[in-house]
Amino acid sequence: MSLWHRKLQNKFPPDMQEVILWNDDNTEYHVADVLVGTEDKGLIFEFQHSDISVEAFISRTQFYMNLGYSVAWIFDYQDSCLLYTSPSPRDGATSR
């Protein structure tokens, strides 16, 4: 984990950091960098310092949205940040 990543995570309480979330079948899990709130009201922050493929980005975003969470990605571009926020899963934007 990069220093940039750790600094952002540490802006949140420890119990909101590195939250393990399993899919409904308990066959796949991801570790959310930060989870604020609860399912159907929760927002996941993903801090991305290194390269990520489009496929991994879409897969991880869809995984969290299928569980009922909104997702905000913060990308490190050295001199600036880029923010992506998913549509709310409550708006029917997810697929199962």
Side-chain angles (χ1 to χ4, degrees):
M1 179 182 306
S2 71
L3 180 59
W4 175 87
H5 192 130
R6 187 170 307 283
K7 281 182 178 181
L8 287 174
Q9 269 191 320
N10 285 338
K11 294 185 181 294
F12 297 88
D15 63 323
M16 292 182 178
Q17 299 177 28
E18 299 291 314
V19 178
I20 299 170
L21 298 169
W22 287 87
N23 67 354
D24 293 335
D25 300 331
N26 285 329
T27 57
E28 181 182 1
Y29 74 92
H30 287 281
V31 181
D33 290 332
V34 171
L35 171 59
V36 178
T38 59
E39 189 174 335
D40 292 331
K41 297 178 187 167
L43 173 62
I44 290 174
F45 287 99
E46 284 291 316
F47 306 121
Q48 196 64 38
H49 177 70
S50 58
D51 291 341
I52 185 171
S53 70
V54 171
E55 294 81 11
F57 169 80
I58 291 169
S59 174
R60 202 178 316 167
T61 300
Q62 188 155 25
F63 175 87
Y64 291 134
M65 290 180 67
N66 285 343
L67 292 178
Y69 299 102
S70 295
V71 185
W73 285 83
I74 296 89
F75 294 89
D76 181 13
Y77 278 96
Q78 301 301 328
D79 296 327
S80 62
C81 279
L82 172 69
L83 170 66
Y84 166 83
T85 305
S86 70
S88 172
R90 293 174 294 284
D91 294 336
T94 62
S95 63
R96 283 204 182 244

Coordinates of all heavy atoms in Angstrom, one line a residue:
M1 N 0.8 -1.2 0.0 CA 0.0 0.0 0.0 C 0.9 1.2 0.0 O 1.8 1.3 0.8 CB -0.9 0.0 1.2 CG -1.8 1.2 1.3 SD -2.9 1.2 2.8 CE -3.7 -0.3 2.7
S2 N 0.6 2.2 -0.9 CA 1.4 3.4 -1.0 C 1.1 4.3 0.2 O 0.1 4.3 0.9 CB 1.1 4.1 -2.3 OG -0.1 4.7 -2.3
L3 N 2.1 5.2 0.4 CA 1.9 6.3 1.4 C 0.7 7.1 1.1 O -0.1 7.5 2.0 CB 3.1 7.1 1.5 CG 3.1 8.3 2.6 CD1 2.9 7.7 4.0 CD2 4.4 9.0 2.5
W4 N 0.5 7.5 -0.2 CA -0.7 8.2 -0.6 C -2.0 7.5 -0.2 O -2.9 8.1 0.3 CB -0.6 8.4 -2.1 CG -1.8 9.0 -2.8 CD1 -2.0 10.4 -2.9 CD2 -3.0 8.4 -3.3 NE1 -3.2 10.6 -3.6 CE2 -3.8 9.4 -3.8 CE3 -3.3 7.1 -3.5 CZ2 -5.0 9.1 -4.4 CZ3 -4.6 6.8 -4.1 CH2 -5.4 7.8 -4.5
H5 N -2.0 6.2 -0.5 CA -3.2 5.4 -0.1 C -3.5 5.4 1.4 O -4.6 5.6 1.8 CB -2.9 4.0 -0.7 CG -4.1 3.1 -0.7 ND1 -4.5 2.4 -1.8 CD2 -5.0 2.8 0.3 CE1 -5.5 1.7 -1.5 NE2 -5.9 1.9 -0.3
R6 N -2.4 5.1 2.1 CA -2.5 5.0 3.6 C -3.0 6.4 4.2 O -3.8 6.4 5.1 CB -1.2 4.6 4.2 CG -1.3 4.3 5.7 CD -0.1 3.7 6.3 NE 0.3 2.5 5.6 CZ -0.3 1.3 5.7 NH1 -1.3 1.1 6.5 NH2 0.2 0.2 5.1
K7 N -2.5 7.5 3.7 CA -2.9 8.8 4.2 C -4.4 9.0 4.0 O -5.0 9.6 4.9 CB -2.1 9.9 3.5 CG -0.7 10.1 4.1 CD 0.0 11.2 3.3 CE 1.4 11.5 3.9 NZ 2.1 12.6 3.2
L8 N -4.9 8.7 2.8 CA -6.3 8.8 2.6 C -7.1 7.9 3.5 O -8.1 8.4 4.1 CB -6.6 8.6 1.1 CG -6.2 9.7 0.1 CD1 -6.4 9.2 -1.3 CD2 -6.9 11.0 0.4
Q9 N -6.7 6.7 3.6 CA -7.5 5.8 4.4 C -7.5 6.2 5.9 O -8.5 6.1 6.6 CB -6.9 4.4 4.4 CG -7.5 3.5 3.3 CD -7.1 2.1 3.5 OE1 -5.9 1.8 3.8 NE2 -8.0 1.2 3.2
N10 N -6.4 6.8 6.3 CA -6.3 7.2 7.7 C -7.1 8.4 8.1 O -7.2 8.8 9.2 CB -4.8 7.3 8.1 CG -4.1 6.0 8.3 OD1 -4.8 5.0 8.5 ND2 -2.8 6.0 8.2
K11 N -7.7 9.0 7.1 CA -8.6 10.1 7.4 C -10.0 9.6 7.9 O -10.8 10.4 8.3 CB -8.9 11.0 6.1 CG -7.6 11.7 5.7 CD -7.8 12.6 4.5 CE -6.6 13.3 4.1 NZ -6.0 14.2 5.1
F12 N -10.1 8.3 7.9 CA -11.4 7.6 8.4 C -11.1 6.8 9.6 O -9.9 6.3 9.8 CB -12.0 6.7 7.3 CG -12.4 7.5 6.1 CD1 -11.5 7.8 5.1 CD2 -13.7 8.0 5.9 CE1 -11.8 8.5 3.9 CE2 -14.1 8.7 4.8 CZ -13.2 9.0 3.8
P13 N -12.1 6.5 10.5 CA -11.8 5.7 11.6 C -11.4 4.3 11.2 O -11.8 3.8 10.1 CB -13.2 5.6 12.3 CG -14.0 6.8 11.8 CD -13.4 7.1 10.4
P14 N -10.6 3.6 12.0 CA -10.1 2.3 11.7 C -11.1 1.2 11.4 O -10.9 0.4 10.5 CB -9.3 1.9 13.0 CG -8.9 3.1 13.6 CD -10.0 4.1 13.3
D15 N -12.3 1.3 12.0 CA -13.3 0.3 11.7 C -14.0 0.5 10.4 O -14.7 -0.4 9.9 CB -14.4 0.3 12.8 CG -15.2 1.6 13.0 OD1 -14.6 2.7 12.8 OD2 -16.4 1.5 13.2
M16 N -13.7 1.6 9.7 CA -14.3 1.8 8.3 C -13.2 1.5 7.3 O -13.5 1.5 6.1 CB -14.6 3.3 8.2 CG -15.8 3.8 9.0 SD -16.1 5.5 8.6 CE -17.5 5.8 9.6
Q17 N -12.0 1.1 7.7 CA -10.9 0.8 6.7 C -10.8 -0.7 6.5 O -11.0 -1.5 7.4 CB -9.6 1.3 7.3 CG -9.6 2.8 7.5 CD -8.2 3.2 8.1 OE1 -7.2 2.6 7.9 NE2 -8.3 4.3 8.9
E18 N -10.4 -1.1 5.3 CA -10.1 -2.4 4.9 C -11.3 -3.4 5.3 O -11.1 -4.4 6.0 CB -8.8 -2.9 5.6 CG -7.6 -2.1 5.1 CD -7.2 -2.3 3.7 OE1 -7.2 -3.5 3.2 OE2 -7.0 -1.3 3.0
V19 N -12.5 -3.1 4.9 CA -13.7 -3.9 5.2 C -13.8 -5.0 4.2 O -14.0 -4.7 3.0 CB -14.9 -3.0 5.2 CG1 -16.2 -3.8 5.6 CG2 -14.7 -1.8 6.3
I20 N -13.9 -6.2 4.7 CA -14.0 -7.4 3.8 C -15.5 -7.6 3.5 O -16.3 -7.7 4.4 CB -13.4 -8.6 4.4 CG1 -11.9 -8.4 4.7 CG2 -13.7 -9.9 3.6 CD1 -11.3 -9.5 5.5
L21 N -15.9 -7.7 2.2 CA -17.2 -7.9 1.8 C -17.3 -9.1 0.9 O -16.6 -9.2 -0.1 CB -17.8 -6.6 1.1 CG -17.8 -5.4 1.9 CD1 -18.1 -4.2 1.0 CD2 -18.9 -5.5 3.0
W22 N -18.2 -10.0 1.2 CA -18.4 -11.2 0.4 C -19.7 -11.1 -0.5 O -20.6 -10.4 -0.1 CB -18.6 -12.4 1.3 CG -17.4 -12.9 2.0 CD1 -16.8 -12.4 3.2 CD2 -16.5 -13.9 1.5 NE1 -15.7 -13.0 3.4 CE2 -15.4 -13.9 2.4 CE3 -16.5 -14.7 0.4 CZ2 -14.4 -14.8 2.3 CZ3 -15.4 -15.6 0.2 CH2 -14.4 -15.6 1.2
N23 N -19.7 -11.8 -1.6 CA -20.9 -11.8 -2.4 C -21.9 -12.7 -1.7 O -21.7 -13.3 -0.7 CB -20.6 -12.2 -3.9 CG -20.1 -13.7 -4.0 OD1 -19.9 -14.4 -3.0 ND2 -19.9 -14.1 -5.2
D24 N -23.1 -12.7 -2.3 CA -24.2 -13.4 -1.7 C -24.0 -14.9 -1.6 O -24.5 -15.6 -0.7 CB -25.5 -13.2 -2.5 CG -26.0 -11.8 -2.4 OD1 -25.7 -11.1 -1.4 OD2 -26.7 -11.3 -3.3
D25 N -23.2 -15.5 -2.5 CA -22.9 -16.9 -2.5 C -21.6 -17.3 -1.6 O -21.3 -18.4 -1.5 CB -22.7 -17.4 -3.9 CG -23.9 -17.2 -4.8 OD1 -25.0 -17.2 -4.3 OD2 -23.7 -17.1 -6.0
N26 N -21.0 -16.3 -1.1 CA -19.7 -16.5 -0.3 C -18.7 -17.1 -1.2 O -17.9 -18.0 -0.7 CB -20.0 -17.2 1.0 CG -20.6 -16.4 2.0 OD1 -20.4 -15.2 2.1 ND2 -21.4 -17.0 2.9
T27 N -18.6 -16.8 -2.5 CA -17.7 -17.4 -3.4 C -16.6 -16.3 -3.8 O -15.6 -16.7 -4.4 CB -18.3 -18.0 -4.6 OG1 -19.1 -16.9 -5.3 CG2 -19.2 -19.1 -4.3
E28 N -16.9 -15.1 -3.5 CA -16.0 -14.0 -3.9 C -16.0 -12.9 -2.9 O -17.1 -12.6 -2.3 CB -16.4 -13.5 -5.3 CG -15.5 -12.3 -5.8 CD -16.0 -11.8 -7.2 OE1 -17.0 -12.2 -7.7 OE2 -15.3 -10.9 -7.7
Y29 N -14.9 -12.3 -2.7 CA -14.9 -11.2 -1.7 C -13.9 -10.1 -2.3 O -13.0 -10.4 -3.1 CB -14.5 -11.6 -0.3 CG -13.0 -11.9 -0.2 CD1 -12.1 -10.9 0.2 CD2 -12.5 -13.2 -0.4 CE1 -10.7 -11.2 0.4 CE2 -11.2 -13.5 -0.2 CZ -10.3 -12.5 0.1 OH -8.9 -12.7 0.3
H30 N -14.1 -8.9 -1.8 CA -13.2 -7.8 -2.1 C -13.0 -7.0 -0.7 O -13.9 -7.1 0.1 CB -13.8 -6.8 -3.1 CG -13.7 -7.4 -4.5 ND1 -12.5 -7.4 -5.2 CD2 -14.6 -8.0 -5.3 CE1 -12.8 -8.0 -6.4 NE2 -14.1 -8.4 -6.4
V31 N -11.9 -6.3 -0.6 CA -11.6 -5.5 0.6 C -11.8 -4.1 0.2 O -11.1 -3.5 -0.6 CB -10.2 -5.8 1.1 CG1 -9.9 -5.0 2.3 CG2 -10.0 -7.3 1.3
A32 N -12.9 -3.5 0.7 CA -13.1 -2.1 0.5 C -12.1 -1.2 1.2 O -11.9 -1.4 2.4 CB -14.6 -1.7 0.9
D33 N -11.5 -0.3 0.6 CA -10.6 0.6 1.2 C -11.2 1.3 2.4 O -10.7 1.4 3.5 CB -10.0 1.6 0.3 CG -9.0 1.0 -0.7 OD1 -8.4 -0.1 -0.4 OD2 -8.9 1.5 -1.8
V34 N -12.4 1.9 2.2 CA -13.2 2.5 3.2 C -14.7 2.3 2.9 O -15.1 2.4 1.8 CB -12.9 4.1 3.2 CG1 -13.9 4.8 4.2 CG2 -11.5 4.4 3.6
L35 N -15.4 1.9 4.0 CA -16.9 1.8 3.9 C -17.5 2.7 4.9 O -17.3 2.6 6.1 CB -17.3 0.3 4.2 CG -18.8 0.1 4.3 CD1 -19.6 0.5 3.1 CD2 -19.0 -1.4 4.7
V36 N -18.3 3.6 4.4 CA -19.0 4.6 5.2 C -20.5 4.2 5.1 O -21.1 4.2 4.0 CB -18.8 6.1 4.7 CG1 -19.6 7.0 5.6 CG2 -17.3 6.4 4.7
G37 N -21.1 4.0 6.3 CA -22.5 3.6 6.3 C -22.7 2.1 6.3 O -21.8 1.4 6.6
T38 N -23.9 1.7 5.9 CA -24.3 0.3 5.8 C -24.9 0.0 4.4 O -25.1 0.9 3.6 CB -25.4 0.0 6.9 OG1 -26.5 0.8 6.6 CG2 -24.8 0.3 8.3
E39 N -25.1 -1.3 4.2 CA -25.7 -1.7 2.9 C -27.0 -0.9 2.6 O -27.8 -0.6 3.5 CB -26.0 -3.2 2.9 CG -26.4 -3.7 1.6 CD -26.6 -5.2 1.6 OE1 -26.0 -5.9 2.5 OE2 -27.3 -5.7 0.8
D40 N -27.2 -0.6 1.4 CA -28.3 0.2 0.9 C -28.2 1.7 1.3 O -29.0 2.5 0.9 CB -29.6 -0.3 1.3 CG -29.9 -1.6 0.6 OD1 -29.4 -1.9 -0.5 OD2 -30.6 -2.5 1.2
K41 N -27.3 2.0 2.1 CA -27.0 3.4 2.5 C -25.5 3.7 2.5 O -25.1 4.8 2.9 CB -27.6 3.7 3.9 CG -29.1 3.5 4.0 CD -29.5 3.8 5.4 CE -31.0 3.4 5.5 NZ -31.5 3.4 6.9
G42 N -24.8 2.7 2.1 CA -23.3 2.8 2.3 C -22.6 3.4 1.0 O -23.1 3.3 -0.1
L43 N -21.5 3.9 1.3 CA -20.6 4.4 0.2 C -19.2 3.8 0.4 O -18.6 3.9 1.5 CB -20.5 5.9 0.3 CG -19.5 6.6 -0.7 CD1 -19.8 6.3 -2.1 CD2 -19.5 8.1 -0.4
I44 N -18.7 3.2 -0.6 CA -17.4 2.6 -0.6 C -16.4 3.6 -1.3 O -16.7 4.1 -2.4 CB -17.3 1.3 -1.3 CG1 -18.1 0.3 -0.4 CG2 -15.9 0.8 -1.5 CD1 -18.3 -1.1 -1.0
F45 N -15.3 3.9 -0.7 CA -14.2 4.7 -1.3 C -13.1 3.7 -1.7 O -12.7 2.9 -0.9 CB -13.6 5.7 -0.3 CG -14.5 6.9 -0.1 CD1 -15.3 6.9 1.1 CD2 -14.6 7.9 -1.0 CE1 -16.2 8.0 1.3 CE2 -15.4 9.0 -0.7 CZ -16.2 9.0 0.4
E46 N -12.7 3.7 -2.9 CA -11.6 3.0 -3.4 C -10.5 4.0 -3.8 O -10.7 4.9 -4.6 CB -12.0 2.1 -4.6 CG -12.8 0.9 -4.3 CD -11.9 -0.1 -3.5 OE1 -10.8 -0.4 -3.9 OE2 -12.4 -0.7 -2.5
F47 N -9.3 3.9 -3.2 CA -8.2 4.7 -3.5 C -7.2 4.0 -4.4 O -6.7 2.9 -4.0 CB -7.5 5.2 -2.2 CG -8.4 5.8 -1.2 CD1 -8.6 5.2 0.0 CD2 -9.2 6.9 -1.6 CE1 -9.4 5.8 1.0 CE2 -10.0 7.5 -0.6 CZ -10.2 6.9 0.6
Q48 N -7.0 4.5 -5.6 CA -6.2 3.8 -6.6 C -5.0 4.5 -7.0 O -5.0 5.6 -7.6 CB -7.1 3.5 -7.9 CG -6.5 2.4 -8.7 CD -6.4 1.1 -8.1 OE1 -7.3 0.7 -7.3 NE2 -5.3 0.4 -8.3
H49 N -3.8 4.1 -6.5 CA -2.5 4.7 -6.8 C -1.9 4.1 -7.9 O -1.2 4.7 -8.7 CB -1.7 4.6 -5.5 CG -0.3 5.2 -5.7 ND1 -0.1 6.5 -5.8 CD2 0.9 4.6 -5.7 CE1 1.2 6.7 -5.9 NE2 1.8 5.5 -5.9
S50 N -2.0 2.8 -8.1 CA -1.3 2.0 -9.2 C -2.3 1.8 -10.4 O -3.5 2.1 -10.3 CB -0.8 0.7 -8.7 OG -1.9 0.0 -8.2
D51 N -1.7 1.3 -11.4 CA -2.5 1.1 -12.6 C -3.6 0.0 -12.3 O -3.4 -0.9 -11.5 CB -1.7 0.5 -13.8 CG -0.8 1.6 -14.3 OD1 -1.0 2.8 -14.1 OD2 0.2 1.2 -15.0
I52 N -4.8 0.1 -12.9 CA -5.8 -0.9 -12.8 C -6.4 -1.0 -14.2 O -6.6 0.0 -14.9 CB -6.9 -0.5 -11.8 CG1 -7.9 -1.6 -11.6 CG2 -7.5 0.9 -12.1 CD1 -8.9 -1.3 -10.4
S53 N -6.7 -2.2 -14.6 CA -7.3 -2.5 -15.9 C -8.8 -2.0 -15.9 O -9.4 -2.0 -14.8 CB -7.2 -4.0 -16.3 OG -8.1 -4.7 -15.4
V54 N -9.3 -1.7 -17.0 CA -10.7 -1.4 -17.2 C -11.6 -2.5 -16.7 O -12.5 -2.3 -16.0 CB -11.0 -1.0 -18.6 CG1 -12.5 -0.8 -18.8 CG2 -10.2 0.2 -19.1
E55 N -11.2 -3.7 -17.0 CA -11.9 -4.9 -16.6 C -12.0 -5.0 -15.1 O -13.1 -5.3 -14.5 CB -11.4 -6.2 -17.2 CG -11.5 -6.3 -18.7 CD -10.4 -5.5 -19.5 OE1 -9.4 -5.0 -18.8 OE2 -10.5 -5.3 -20.7
A56 N -10.9 -4.8 -14.4 CA -10.9 -4.9 -12.9 C -11.7 -3.8 -12.3 O -12.4 -4.0 -11.3 CB -9.4 -4.9 -12.4
F57 N -11.5 -2.6 -12.9 CA -12.3 -1.4 -12.4 C -13.8 -1.7 -12.5 O -14.5 -1.5 -11.5 CB -11.9 -0.2 -13.2 CG -12.8 1.0 -13.0 CD1 -12.6 1.8 -11.9 CD2 -13.8 1.3 -13.9 CE1 -13.5 2.9 -11.7 CE2 -14.7 2.4 -13.7 CZ -14.5 3.2 -12.6
I58 N -14.3 -2.2 -13.7 CA -15.7 -2.5 -13.9 C -16.1 -3.6 -13.0 O -17.2 -3.5 -12.3 CB -16.0 -2.8 -15.3 CG1 -15.8 -1.5 -16.2 CG2 -17.4 -3.3 -15.5 CD1 -15.8 -1.7 -17.7
S59 N -15.3 -4.7 -12.9 CA -15.7 -5.8 -12.1 C -15.9 -5.5 -10.6 O -16.8 -5.8 -9.9 CB -14.6 -6.9 -12.2 OG -14.9 -8.0 -11.4
R60 N -14.9 -4.7 -10.1 CA -14.9 -4.3 -8.7 C -16.1 -3.4 -8.4 O -16.8 -3.5 -7.4 CB -13.6 -3.7 -8.2 CG -13.4 -3.8 -6.7 CD -12.1 -3.3 -6.2 NE -11.0 -3.7 -7.0 CZ -9.8 -3.1 -6.9 NH1 -9.6 -2.2 -6.0 NH2 -8.8 -3.5 -7.6
T61 N -16.3 -2.4 -9.3 CA -17.4 -1.5 -9.1 C -18.7 -2.2 -9.1 O -19.6 -2.0 -8.2 CB -17.4 -0.4 -10.2 OG1 -16.2 0.3 -10.1 CG2 -18.6 0.6 -10.0
Q62 N -18.9 -3.1 -10.1 CA -20.2 -3.9 -10.2 C -20.4 -4.8 -9.0 O -21.5 -5.0 -8.5 CB -20.2 -4.7 -11.4 CG -21.6 -5.3 -11.7 CD -21.8 -5.6 -13.1 OE1 -20.9 -5.7 -13.9 NE2 -23.1 -5.7 -13.5
F63 N -19.3 -5.4 -8.5 CA -19.4 -6.3 -7.3 C -20.0 -5.5 -6.1 O -20.9 -6.0 -5.5 CB -18.0 -6.8 -6.9 CG -17.9 -7.6 -5.7 CD1 -18.1 -8.9 -5.7 CD2 -17.6 -7.0 -4.5 CE1 -18.1 -9.7 -4.5 CE2 -17.6 -7.7 -3.3 CZ -17.8 -9.1 -3.3
Y64 N -19.4 -4.3 -5.8 CA -19.9 -3.5 -4.7 C -21.4 -3.0 -4.9 O -22.2 -3.1 -4.0 CB -19.0 -2.3 -4.5 CG -17.7 -2.7 -3.9 CD1 -16.5 -2.1 -4.5 CD2 -17.5 -3.6 -2.9 CE1 -15.2 -2.4 -4.0 CE2 -16.2 -3.9 -2.4 CZ -15.1 -3.3 -2.9 OH -13.9 -3.6 -2.4
M65 N -21.7 -2.6 -6.2 CA -23.0 -2.2 -6.5 C -24.0 -3.3 -6.4 O -25.2 -3.1 -5.9 CB -23.0 -1.5 -7.9 CG -22.3 -0.2 -7.9 SD -22.3 0.6 -9.5 CE -24.1 1.0 -9.7
N66 N -23.7 -4.5 -6.7 CA -24.6 -5.6 -6.6 C -24.9 -5.9 -5.1 O -25.9 -6.5 -4.8 CB -24.0 -6.9 -7.3 CG -24.1 -6.8 -8.8 OD1 -24.8 -6.0 -9.3 ND2 -23.3 -7.6 -9.5
L67 N -24.0 -5.5 -4.2 CA -24.2 -5.7 -2.8 C -25.1 -4.5 -2.2 O -25.4 -4.5 -1.1 CB -22.9 -5.8 -2.0 CG -22.1 -7.1 -2.3 CD1 -20.8 -7.1 -1.5 CD2 -22.9 -8.3 -2.0
G68 N -25.3 -3.5 -3.1 CA -26.2 -2.4 -2.6 C -25.4 -1.1 -2.3 O -26.0 -0.2 -1.7
Y69 N -24.1 -1.1 -2.5 CA -23.3 0.1 -2.2 C -23.1 1.0 -3.4 O -23.0 0.5 -4.5 CB -21.9 -0.4 -1.6 CG -22.0 -1.2 -0.4 CD1 -21.9 -2.6 -0.5 CD2 -22.2 -0.6 0.8 CE1 -21.9 -3.4 0.7 CE2 -22.3 -1.4 2.0 CZ -22.2 -2.8 1.9 OH -22.2 -3.6 3.0
S70 N -22.9 2.3 -3.1 CA -22.4 3.2 -4.1 C -20.9 3.2 -4.0 O -20.4 2.9 -2.9 CB -22.9 4.6 -3.8 OG -24.3 4.7 -4.0
V71 N -20.2 3.5 -5.1 CA -18.7 3.4 -5.1 C -18.2 4.8 -5.6 O -18.6 5.3 -6.6 CB -18.2 2.3 -6.0 CG1 -16.7 2.2 -5.9 CG2 -18.9 1.0 -5.7
A72 N -17.2 5.3 -4.9 CA -16.4 6.4 -5.3 C -15.0 6.0 -5.4 O -14.4 5.5 -4.5 CB -16.6 7.6 -4.3
W73 N -14.4 6.2 -6.6 CA -13.0 5.9 -6.9 C -12.2 7.2 -6.9 O -12.6 8.2 -7.5 CB -12.9 5.3 -8.3 CG -13.3 3.8 -8.3 CD1 -14.6 3.4 -8.5 CD2 -12.5 2.7 -8.2 NE1 -14.6 2.0 -8.5 CE2 -13.3 1.6 -8.4 CE3 -11.1 2.5 -8.1 CZ2 -12.8 0.3 -8.3 CZ3 -10.6 1.2 -8.0 CH2 -11.5 0.1 -8.2
I74 N -11.1 7.2 -6.2 CA -10.2 8.4 -6.2 C -8.9 7.9 -6.7 O -8.3 7.0 -6.2 CB -10.0 9.0 -4.8 CG1 -11.4 9.6 -4.2 CG2 -9.0 10.1 -4.8 CD1 -12.2 8.6 -3.5
F75 N -8.5 8.4 -7.9 CA -7.3 8.0 -8.6 C -6.2 9.0 -8.3 O -6.4 10.2 -8.4 CB -7.5 7.9 -10.1 CG -8.5 6.8 -10.4 CD1 -9.8 7.1 -10.5 CD2 -8.0 5.5 -10.7 CE1 -10.7 6.1 -10.9 CE2 -8.9 4.5 -11.1 CZ -10.3 4.8 -11.1
D76 N -5.0 8.5 -8.0 CA -3.8 9.4 -7.9 C -3.2 9.7 -9.2 O -2.7 8.7 -9.9 CB -2.8 8.7 -6.9 CG -1.6 9.5 -6.7 OD1 -1.6 10.7 -7.0 OD2 -0.6 9.0 -6.1
Y77 N -3.2 10.9 -9.6 CA -2.5 11.3 -10.8 C -1.4 12.2 -10.5 O -1.1 13.2 -11.2 CB -3.5 12.0 -11.7 CG -4.3 11.1 -12.5 CD1 -5.6 10.7 -12.1 CD2 -3.9 10.5 -13.7 CE1 -6.4 9.8 -12.8 CE2 -4.6 9.7 -14.4 CZ -5.9 9.3 -14.0 OH -6.6 8.4 -14.7
Q78 N -0.7 12.0 -9.4 CA 0.5 12.7 -8.9 C 0.2 14.2 -8.6 O 0.3 14.6 -7.5 CB 1.7 12.6 -9.9 CG 2.1 11.2 -10.1 CD 2.5 10.4 -8.9 OE1 3.0 11.0 -7.9 NE2 2.3 9.1 -8.8
D79 N -0.2 15.0 -9.6 CA -0.4 16.4 -9.4 C -1.8 16.7 -9.2 O -2.2 17.9 -8.8 CB 0.1 17.2 -10.6 CG 1.7 17.1 -10.7 OD1 2.3 16.9 -9.7 OD2 2.1 17.1 -11.8
S80 N -2.7 15.8 -9.4 CA -4.2 16.0 -9.2 C -4.9 14.7 -8.9 O -4.2 13.6 -9.0 CB -4.8 16.7 -10.4 OG -4.6 15.8 -11.5
C81 N -6.1 14.8 -8.5 CA -6.9 13.6 -8.3 C -8.1 13.5 -9.3 O -8.6 14.6 -9.7 CB -7.4 13.5 -6.9 SG -6.3 13.0 -5.7
L82 N -8.5 12.3 -9.6 CA -9.7 12.1 -10.4 C -10.7 11.4 -9.6 O -10.3 10.4 -8.9 CB -9.3 11.3 -11.7 CG -10.4 10.8 -12.6 CD1 -11.1 12.0 -13.3 CD2 -9.9 9.8 -13.6
L83 N -11.9 11.8 -9.6 CA -12.9 11.1 -8.8 C -14.0 10.5 -9.7 O -14.5 11.2 -10.6 CB -13.6 12.1 -7.9 CG -14.8 11.7 -7.1 CD1 -14.5 10.6 -6.2 CD2 -15.5 12.9 -6.4
Y84 N -14.3 9.3 -9.6 CA -15.4 8.6 -10.3 C -16.4 8.2 -9.2 O -16.0 7.5 -8.2 CB -15.0 7.4 -11.1 CG -16.1 6.5 -11.5 CD1 -16.8 6.9 -12.6 CD2 -16.5 5.4 -10.7 CE1 -18.0 6.1 -13.0 CE2 -17.6 4.7 -11.1 CZ -18.3 5.0 -12.3 OH -19.4 4.3 -12.6
T85 N -17.7 8.5 -9.4 CA -18.7 8.0 -8.4 C -19.7 7.2 -9.2 O -20.2 7.7 -10.2 CB -19.4 9.2 -7.8 OG1 -18.4 10.0 -7.1 CG2 -20.4 8.8 -6.7
S86 N -20.1 6.1 -8.8 CA -21.0 5.2 -9.5 C -22.4 5.8 -9.3 O -22.7 6.5 -8.3 CB -21.0 3.8 -8.9 OG -21.5 3.8 -7.6
P87 N -23.3 5.4 -10.2 CA -24.7 5.7 -9.9 C -25.2 4.9 -8.7 O -24.6 3.9 -8.3 CB -25.5 5.2 -11.1 CG -24.5 4.6 -12.1 CD -23.1 4.6 -11.4
S88 N -26.2 5.4 -8.0 CA -26.7 4.7 -6.9 C -27.3 3.4 -7.2 O -28.1 3.3 -8.2 CB -27.8 5.6 -6.2 OG -28.4 4.8 -5.1
P89 N -27.0 2.3 -6.6 CA -27.6 1.0 -6.9 C -29.1 1.0 -6.6 O -29.8 0.2 -7.2 CB -26.9 0.0 -6.0 CG -26.2 0.8 -5.0 CD -26.0 2.2 -5.5
R90 N -29.6 1.9 -5.8 CA -31.0 2.0 -5.5 C -31.8 2.5 -6.7 O -33.0 2.5 -6.8 CB -31.2 2.9 -4.3 CG -30.7 2.2 -3.0 CD -30.8 3.1 -1.8 NE -29.9 4.3 -1.9 CZ -28.6 4.3 -1.7 NH1 -28.0 3.2 -1.5 NH2 -27.9 5.4 -1.8
D91 N -31.1 3.1 -7.7 CA -31.7 3.6 -8.9 C -31.9 2.5 -10.0 O -32.2 2.8 -11.1 CB -30.9 4.8 -9.5 CG -30.9 6.0 -8.6 OD1 -31.8 6.1 -7.7 OD2 -29.9 6.8 -8.7
G92 N -31.6 1.3 -9.6 CA -31.7 0.2 -10.6 C -30.6 0.1 -11.6 O -30.8 -0.5 -12.6
A93 N -29.4 0.6 -11.2 CA -28.3 0.7 -12.2 C -27.5 -0.6 -12.1 O -26.5 -0.7 -12.9 CB -27.5 1.9 -11.9
T94 N -27.8 -1.5 -11.3 CA -27.0 -2.7 -11.2 C -27.5 -3.9 -12.0 O -28.7 -3.9 -12.4 CB -26.8 -3.2 -9.7 OG1 -28.1 -3.6 -9.3 CG2 -26.2 -2.2 -8.9
S95 N -26.7 -4.9 -12.2 CA -27.2 -6.1 -12.9 C -26.9 -7.3 -12.0 O -25.9 -7.3 -11.3 CB -26.6 -6.2 -14.3 OG -25.2 -6.4 -14.2
R96 N -27.6 -8.3 -12.1 CA -27.4 -9.5 -11.3 C -27.4 -10.7 -12.3 O -28.0 -10.7 -13.3 CB -28.5 -9.7 -10.3 CG -28.2 -8.8 -9.1 CD -28.9 -9.5 -7.9 NE -28.7 -8.6 -6.8 CZ -28.0 -8.9 -5.7 NH1 -27.4 -10.1 -5.6 NH2 -27.8 -8.1 -4.7

